[in-house]
Amino acid sequence: MSFETAATPEAAVDRLERLYDEARSALRGDLQRFFDTGEAPTPDDRERYRYPMLRVTYEPSKLPAATRRGYAKFAVPGIYSTTVTQPAEFRTYLLDQLKPLVAEYGATIETGVSTQEIPYPYALEGGDELGRGKITAAELARHFPTPLLALVGDEIADGSYELIEGEPRPLSLFDAVRVDYSLRRLVHYTGTDWRAVQPWVLLTNYHRYVDQFVRLGLAEIEAGTAEALIAPGGIRIDRDGIDVSAAERVMSAPWHRFQMPAYHLIRKGGEGVTLVNIGVGPSNAKNITDHLAVLRPNCWLMVGHCGGLRQTQIIGDYVLAHAYLRQDRILDDLVPPDIPIPALAEVQVALQQAAADITGEKGDRLKQRLRTGTVVTQDDRNWELQWTKERRRINLSRAIAVDMESGTIAAQGYRLRVPYGTLLCVSDKPLHGEIKLPGAANAFYERAVGEHLRIGLDALEKLKEAGATIHSRKLRSFDEPPFR
């Protein structure tokens, strides 16, 4: 099928939707036929199982107007392309990227069919809606396209791809097969449909934040400011489902079956908030952000616990990270530790203003509760046992807190071009004899969890008001793909 020039961005996305639906339906139909009769697809049949391709051409006749926008702009003239999956679900995102490219740069948009096959598991939803009978995965792999890890990678995001003379440049950070891979991983890890993930994301390492998020979410639904709350295992509470047992139904959702359970507060206009309990450690932090990134969220913030490293801190104080001493080691090959991870001004201001608004404290009183500085992110939970070595690095870095996720999440935001920030709550002081013990959390600490979460939510509201300016140019290089 030849490429067709689209008159408008809307027309381009309309055709992408049609092409994708046709390819997916053809694949599903042939899978069902194989399950029912054993009849395998022909080579001609397999030609129909292909992702649609989006191609954009920029041939400037004059210099475009200057823009402070951090995305939807061209590095150089030429042809840019990417394969696309689930275009109906990504419609708003695609139009947000394409419209400025046409209006400001005079770009031409074309759509067609790529050579990239859709792996058969990605044509299914739950993976079990087609009757498999005694058909094995090995038999399916003989006749249908399967996920090949050799075709899934982050070379574009990591800047390690090689441009081939005469071939289009990448239009986006992730192609269709990379996106589909992560969409399925999100379902596996979070226990919820990837479509429920909202554009504003909070990440935490402590389940008490989930309890508070559920309470606040149900209150919003009852007040009419939110539409629904979605929990792991398919639990959905909306206005009609609000009753005295609503919180219990959400809390009893089978979250313990999933490694990183997610909770989604659905608001009008697609501006809701997702909270993911990522658990402990940089491996989890990298894992979930690798997959969330394909949804191109507007921002992710870490709101979790940390160890305070200063004598003047007390349990329940806050730490606003301005820098990170990255000892997580999980990203050293992708973002070496000597690459600085800059603080994003818009995010820092929003977090600090939110802290002032929610606590009601200003000036010196706020500074007593909220310290700004460097956070050490460790991959070793028992780093204290290497005290002789660690004390020197803590002294040199002037760090004020230690955790196991924040530096990884910030580095992933930098690497994958997702705005990021960190506001932590001090849960212990390992250098000063205040260690975590069973039952040690006092009433003040209990209040701090709810207050901390409200600060995170309020910061996201302030970032919404900032609009596109949060997509900082600090996150983009000189030869970026046009799409955010």
Side-chain angles (χ1 to χ4, degrees), residues 93-124:
Y93 168 78
L94 290 168
L95 291 177
D96 284 346
Q97 310 310 302
L98 290 171
K99 286 180 178 179
L101 297 181
V102 172
E104 298 174 20
Y105 293 85
T108 301
I109 308 174
E110 298 173 287
T111 56
V113 178
S114 74
T115 60
Q116 191 178 67
E117 290 185 309
I118 302 175
Y120 80 83
Y122 301 160
L124 311 177

Side-chain angles (χ1 to χ4, degrees), residues 121-346:
Y122 301 160
L124 311 177
E125 285 300 323
D128 56 359
E129 66 267 40
L130 296 178
R132 284 181 172 75
K134 296 181 179 179
I135 303 295
T136 66
E139 289 177 281
L140 287 171
R142 289 177 54 203
H143 305 293
F144 294 92
T146 58
L148 298 175
L149 290 180
L151 301 179
V152 182
D154 284 334
E155 287 81 5
I156 298 173
D158 292 329
S160 59
Y161 68 93
E162 294 184 6
L163 289 174
I164 301 174
E165 186 68 29
E167 292 292 319
R169 300 171 70 92
L171 181 63
S172 63
L173 294 174
F174 308 110
D175 64 4
V177 73
R178 168 66 171 86
V179 172
D180 266 338
Y181 172 79
S182 281
L183 297 183
R184 271 51 185 190
R185 294 290 84 197
L186 284 171
V187 176
H188 172 75
Y189 287 115
T190 69
T192 57
D193 192 322
W194 59 267
R195 296 173 184 83
V197 177
Q198 300 299 292
W200 304 96
V201 179
L202 294 175
L203 304 170
T204 189
N205 55 9
Y206 195 33
H207 195 76
R208 291 192 188 195
Y209 287 84
V210 173
D211 299 339
Q212 292 289 346
F213 187 77
V214 169
R215 295 188 189 102
L216 292 172
L218 294 178
E220 281 202 32
I221 295 170
E222 194 166 12
T225 56
E227 297 180 346
L229 180 68
I230 297 176
I235 302 295
R236 179 186 173 98
I237 304 292
D238 56 23
R239 187 73 181 270
D240 294 334
I242 287 288
D243 56 32
V244 293
S245 66
E248 182 179 347
R249 296 203 304 276
V250 176
M251 299 299 189
S252 63
W255 60 267
H256 54 278
R257 298 180 190 171
F258 307 103
Q259 187 172 346
M260 289 175 275
Y263 298 77
H264 314 283
L265 185 60
I266 312 300
R267 292 171 174 158
K268 292 180 180 178
E271 292 292 329
V273 178
T274 286
L275 175 73
V276 187
N277 180 8
I278 67 174
V280 176
S283 179
N284 278 2
K286 179 182 183 297
N287 188 357
I288 196 64
T289 48
D290 275 340
H291 303 312
L292 286 171
V294 305
L295 295 174
R296 308 315 296 146
N298 287 329
C299 182
W300 57 48
L301 301 179
M302 179 65 189
V303 286
H305 287 175
C306 67
L309 299 179
R310 298 300 175 91
Q311 182 68 53
T312 54
Q313 291 169 312
I314 62 174
I315 305 302
D317 277 358
Y318 299 123
V319 171
L320 175 57
H322 277 3
Y324 304 89
L325 174 57
R326 292 172 47 219
Q327 297 185 168
D328 54 334
R329 297 177 178 84
I330 195 167
L331 286 168
D332 286 5
D333 291 337
L334 300 173
V335 186
D338 61 335
I339 300 297
I341 306 300
L344 304 182
E346 295 84 358

Side-chain angles (χ1 to χ4, degrees), residues 353-363 365-366 369 451 455:
Q353 289 180 343
D357 291 346
I358 298 300
T359 64
E361 296 170 347
K362 303 288 191 292
R365 287 183 61 83
L366 180 63
R369 290 281 314 279
E451 184 181 76
I455 292 171

